[in-house]
Amino acid sequence: MSSINELANICSQVRRDIVRMVHAVNSGHPGGSLGCTEYFVALYFNIMKHRPQPFNMDGTGEDVFFLSNGHISPVFYSVLARSGYFDVKELATFRKLNSRLQGHPTTHEGLPGVRIASGSLGQGMSVAIGTALSKKLNNDSCTVYSLHGDGELQEGQIWEAAMYAAANKVDNLISTIDVNGQQIDGSTDNVLHMGDLKVKWHAFGWEVLACDGNNLEEIIATLKKAQTYKGKGKPIMILMQTAMGKGVDFMEGTHKWHGVAPNDEQLKQALSQLPETLRDY
Amino acid sequence: MPKFSFTEKKDTRSGFGAGLSELGKKNDQVVALCADLTGSLKMDVFQKEHPDRFFQIGIAEANMMGIAAGLTIGGKIPFTGTFANFSTGRVYDQIRQSIAYSGKNVKICASHAGLTLGEDGATHQILEDIGLMKMLPGMVVINPCDYNQTKAATIAIADYNGPVYLRFGRPAVPNFTDSNQKFEIGKAITLNEGKDVSIFATGHLVWKAIEAIDELEKQGISAELINIHTIKPLDETAVINSVKKTKCVVTAEEHQQNGGLGDSIAQLLSRHNPAPIEFVAVNDSFGESGTPDQLMVKYGLDSKDIVAKAIKAIARKNQ
């Protein structure tokens, strides 16, 4: 278990990785990646019981994570590399030809740590439920985690999955929604208002927790609290409030950096706000 | 003297149900999922025998495909069951991303394919599913011809590691293949050797083609009949060798002409062994309500259509 300070240092490095990766190929999604950095670092460096090497697709006897909003692949790749799934140098291949680090995550190129392709939204919760059921059949008491965007909740399949998980007591699943209130065309309230998410998930029969997803101590405490609800007959949902673009002042809180890469000057400005705590790849 | 005989008619979906039940007993990794069509898919036996390994998903096919993909992580071999329309078109993106691109070992089992679904009409009579599924990289596409073959195919695909689309149907059709057959994915079966024309048939059209070759023989035409139960991967050697001999072709399937078995064979022959080819398939049209027999006649999928196309193919060869 790393201390909060150590985890904060990892977050700073992961954010450097994210902006450098998207800058290098002038494409990718920095906004959601920066916003979910604390969640990923908490999960992979503190919460999950997982085995980076040798990577086991079946995830037997370990906690398993699914990224449903696959466009935030930069944060996923950085955290996978920094937690030992593959060499951090490989981050330099992000979105380039012949890379295992595709624009959206995939199992197709055999990147360790990825168990499903994602990118087309709304599919990851169903997959996570399937693996949670598989763990139950195998008497594997480990946990399945999944992350989804708030805009992603506009996909109907999410609600099919939500209904199924509650009706069938899939209580070894801890899902999280990145509630940053932003999507490509603007704020989620303006694009398609989703109403009261807490009330909705309650009504669908889930245990619902909420937290500030950019506060490391709070996200860790919330994930630990979520674990105490395991095995009690309900799937568990964390509504995690984040700021899109968190950690880089000019990117923070706006949908404009959802899928846009910084230019050379903007990269310099971003990196000046993010100390190099581990070594850059 | 007919070349093939049968003692009973049985539906291919019951072959699937019987195969799934047998699999459930011998392989405890096999799990089954259904979207509120357990009786129609004949999955009720498996459900009763293995309630812990049966998942009633409700009317939510997209969720079913995702759950099936997730179940493979941990070593399960999921068989999904619903109508062919809801097994493909409705969930194409889920299959594409979570199953095919992700390389997951899911068996997509689809009943009520094609016109022979009958009275429910065109909303349910999918005629595009073979095309949709064969376009997906790595997807195996199987369309067995009768009860025994569907049962054998169901059992065989559990031993193959990768995504499979298994297509079968609603009506009772002649059950004429061996009850103890070993099903080999991708291995075409020659039912009749002939020299004048090659008929490549799949699914329910195999029996129609058997009726056709009897009629052709009466007219002095020697037709070769090959059962293409696996549309992808196609048994290219069997197709090419047959056409080298006969030099003309008829394909027969309960599917759109665009994207079906005929397309696959025409593409293969155009590269290796160009020959006149005639298609017995639905020609760019939706179906409608009616009895299966009425529909097969109206849409040109009857044995007499195979006979007519065979005569036409031979005439083109001899031009």
Side-chain angles (χ1 to χ4, degrees), chain A residues 260-275:
Chain A
V260 177
N263 62 27
D264 293 349
E265 184 50 41
Q266 290 163 330
L267 174 71
K268 215 169 132 190
Q269 211 182 325
L271 292 179
S272 73
Q273 302 169 30
L274 302 166

Side-chain angles (χ1 to χ4, degrees), chain B residues 158-173:
Chain B
D159 292 329
Y160 167 82
N161 186 16
V164 174
Y165 179 62
L166 180 66
R167 177 197 215 232
F168 41 90
R170 177 181 179 229
V173 293

Side-chain angles (χ1 to χ4, degrees), chain A residues 163-182:
Chain A
M163 203 184 301
Y164 181 91
N168 290 280
K169 302 182 170 49
V170 183
D171 55 8
N172 53 345
L173 170 66
I174 300 176
S175 294
T176 298
I177 309 288
D178 172 21
V179 185
N180 60 26
Q182 307 291 335

Side-chain angles (χ1 to χ4, degrees), chain A residues 3 5 7 15 24-25 31 35 37 45 49 102-103 126 131 136 144 148 197 200 207 222 224 228 259:
Chain A
S3 71
N5 275 346
L7 295 176
R15 287 195 162 99
V25 287
T37 298
F45 289 89
K49 187 173 81 177
Q102 291 290 298
S126 305
T131 302
K136 283 183 180 244
V144 177
H148 313 265
L197 290 180
K200 277 196 167 71
E207 193 66 58
T222 307
K224 284 186 172 163
T228 67

